């Protein structure tokens, strides 16, 4: 259980859902973890407690990564506390689903600002630190929706497709500096984000999944561990789905 022994990781949006699972599982693998979150103090404190009860090391950082200066503060905070940044997981994400006809300008801007701009803000400030170290792993959480699109999600799909373009470009820019950049595209994972969907929508999505079940947050965290560990040192610029075969 030490695939990430002594590595320092930042996970954005880690107070619940997939980010929470990644933070907890990273700590179980020996990483020191910065748990970033925007507003859910209770959720974040619970994640910290779980990690510490398991004998792990973590620290909380409250801040909205859609703000450029906050992303910079997050990276500086991590270096101040743990001296380096080995792994950055850009996980923070939101949805504001509705059909284009009803979608307000604000719905589009908000989703792009958190999901895409937030990821840019973090890589912008983390990459100089990783370049100096001559090593680092950047993991961007995209979505199968960024690959195939979805009715009612043009803002979300655009943000997640944007993340894929950013991942591939960054992999090309940063490869010679010893930095790997990959994306995970989760499918239909059981979290608050999918709990809001009606049973009818859930059933219709399930019918498209060969494994005939929703994924768990740990299914995503398992791939995140692999892509953040030395086992994936020759993998960069890839988008890997964790989706029970939904998109292939
Ligand atoms: P969630 O709503 O359960 O959790 C999202 C987390 O992001 C929360 O901790 C929230 O506080 C945080 N967050 C939101 N805006 C933030 C901001 N501006 N700054 C910092 N933190 C912020 O969602 P989830 O289902 O765990 O999703 C996590 C990621 O996985 C998202 O990027 C989402 O798009 C992606 N994803 C989820 C699914 C799914 O089925 N659940 C599928 C594909 C992709």
């Amino acid at each position: 259980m030490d695939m990430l022994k002594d590595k320092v990781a930042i996970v954005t949006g880690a107070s619940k859902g997939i980010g929470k699972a990644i933070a907890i599982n990273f700590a179980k693998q020996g990483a020191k973890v910065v748990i970033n979150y925007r507003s859910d103090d209770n959720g974040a404190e619970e994640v910290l407690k779980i990690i510490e009860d398991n004998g792990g090391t973590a620290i909380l950082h409250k801040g909205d990564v859609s703000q450029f200066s906050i992303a910079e503060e997050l990276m500086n905070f991590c270096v101040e506390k743990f001296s380096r940044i080995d792994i950055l997981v850009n996980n923070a994400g939101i949805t504001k689903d509705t059909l284009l006809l009803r979608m307000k300008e604000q719905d589009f801007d908000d989703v792009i600002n958190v999901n895409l701009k937030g990821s840019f803000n973090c890589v912008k400030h983390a990459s100089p630190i990783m370049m100096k170290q001559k090593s680092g792993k950047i993991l961007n959480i995209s979505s199968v929706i960024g690959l195939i699109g979805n009715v009612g999600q043009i803002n979300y799909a655009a943000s997640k497709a944007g993340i894929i373009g950013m991942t591939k470009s960054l992999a090309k820019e940063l490869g010679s500096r010893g930095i790997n950049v990959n994306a995970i595209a989760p499918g239909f994972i059981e979290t608050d984000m999918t709990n809001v969907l009606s049973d009818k929508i859930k059933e219709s999505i399930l019918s498209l999944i060969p494994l005939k079940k929703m994924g768990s947050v740990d299914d995503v965290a398992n791939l995140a561990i692999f892509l953040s560990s030395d086992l994936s040192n020759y993998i960069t610029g890839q988008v890997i789905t964790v989706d029970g075969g939904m998109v292939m």
Side-chain angles (χ1 to χ4, degrees), residues 11-22 36-40 44 61-67 70 74 90-95 110 113-115 118-119 140-146 156 159-160 163 184-195 197 214-215 217 220 242:
V11 185
T12 69
S15 60
K16 60 178 181 158
I18 292 171
K20 174 180 179 176
I22 292 175
N36 161 264
Y37 67 106
R38 185 176 49 182
S39 57
D40 179 7
H61 177 274
K62 185 173 183 175
D64 177 347
V65 293
S66 71
Q67 294 186 35
I70 301 280
L74 169 59
N90 285 311
N91 166 78
I94 60 168
T95 50
D110 288 349
N113 277 338
V114 176
N115 300 7
S119 301
N140 297 319
I141 307 299
S142 177
S143 166
V144 290
I145 303 306
Y156 185 77
S159 74
K160 294 299 184 180
I163 283 175
I184 295 180
F188 191 31
I189 310 295
E190 259 188 291
T191 68
D192 287 353
M193 194 175 268
T194 48
N195 283 345
L197 301 174
M214 292 177 79
V217 290
V220 181
V242 179

Side-chain angles (χ1 to χ4, degrees), residues 1-11 23 25-34 56-58 78 82-88 130 133-137 178 180 224-233:
M1 296 295 271
D2 55 1
M3 281 173 75
L4 305 177
K5 194 166 180 341
D6 297 328
K7 305 261 190 211
V8 173
I10 297 173
V11 185
N25 282 290
F26 273 18
K28 276 189 193 158
Q29 295 295 334
K32 296 174 195 150
V33 182
V34 177
T57 304
C78 181
F82 294 136
S83 309
R84 50 190 295 116
I85 306 172
D86 296 301
I87 303 158
L88 166 66
M130 291 180 169
Q133 295 169 177
K134 297 188 170 60
S135 70
K137 303 253 181 180
N180 302 50
I225 291 169
F226 171 72
L227 289 175
S228 302
S229 77
D230 291 340
L231 293 180
S232 60
N233 281 351

Side-chain angles (χ1 to χ4, degrees), residues 26-191:
F26 273 18
K28 276 189 193 158
Q29 295 295 334
K32 296 174 195 150
V33 182
V34 177
I35 301 161
N36 161 264
Y37 67 106
R38 185 176 49 182
S39 57
D40 179 7
D41 296 320
N42 291 341
E45 270 155 29
E46 190 195 307
V47 178
L48 178 63
K49 186 171 184 316
I50 293 170
I51 289 175
E52 289 180 340
D53 286 351
N54 288 338
T57 304
I59 193 157
L60 299 179
H61 177 274
K62 185 173 183 175
D64 177 347
V65 293
S66 71
Q67 294 186 35
F68 195 66
S69 62
I70 301 280
E72 182 175 26
E73 183 197 290
L74 169 59
M75 303 310 146
N76 292 340
F77 176 77
C78 181
V79 172
E80 214 173 88
K81 300 292 175 193
F82 294 136
S83 309
R84 50 190 295 116
I85 306 172
D86 296 301
I87 303 158
L88 166 66
V89 183
N90 285 311
N91 166 78
I94 60 168
T95 50
K96 291 210 168 173
D97 298 351
T98 191
L99 296 173
L100 174 61
L101 271 180
R102 289 194 211 107
M103 190 172 288
K104 299 192 180 73
E105 185 183 9
Q106 199 63 48
D107 298 330
F108 189 83
D109 289 348
D110 288 349
V111 170
I112 296 293
N113 277 338
V114 176
N115 300 7
L116 184 56
K117 178 81 185 330
S119 301
F120 165 77
N121 292 344
C122 290
V123 295
K124 173 74 182 163
H125 295 299
S127 55
I129 296 161
M130 291 180 169
M131 279 191 225
K132 226 182 266 173
Q133 295 169 177
K134 297 188 170 60
S135 70
K137 303 253 181 180
I138 296 173
L139 199 48
N140 297 319
I141 307 299
S142 177
S143 166
V144 290
I145 303 306
L147 293 167
I148 60 174
N150 195 21
V151 171
Q153 291 199 304
I154 64 157
N155 47 3
Y156 185 77
S159 74
K160 294 299 184 180
I163 283 175
I164 291 171
M166 197 169 76
T167 299
K168 293 180 180 182
S169 304
L170 267 178
K172 290 183 178 184
E173 280 194 27
L174 301 179
S176 64
R177 308 302 193 104
I179 302 170
N180 302 50
V181 190
N182 291 292
I184 295 180
F188 191 31
I189 310 295
E190 259 188 291
T191 68

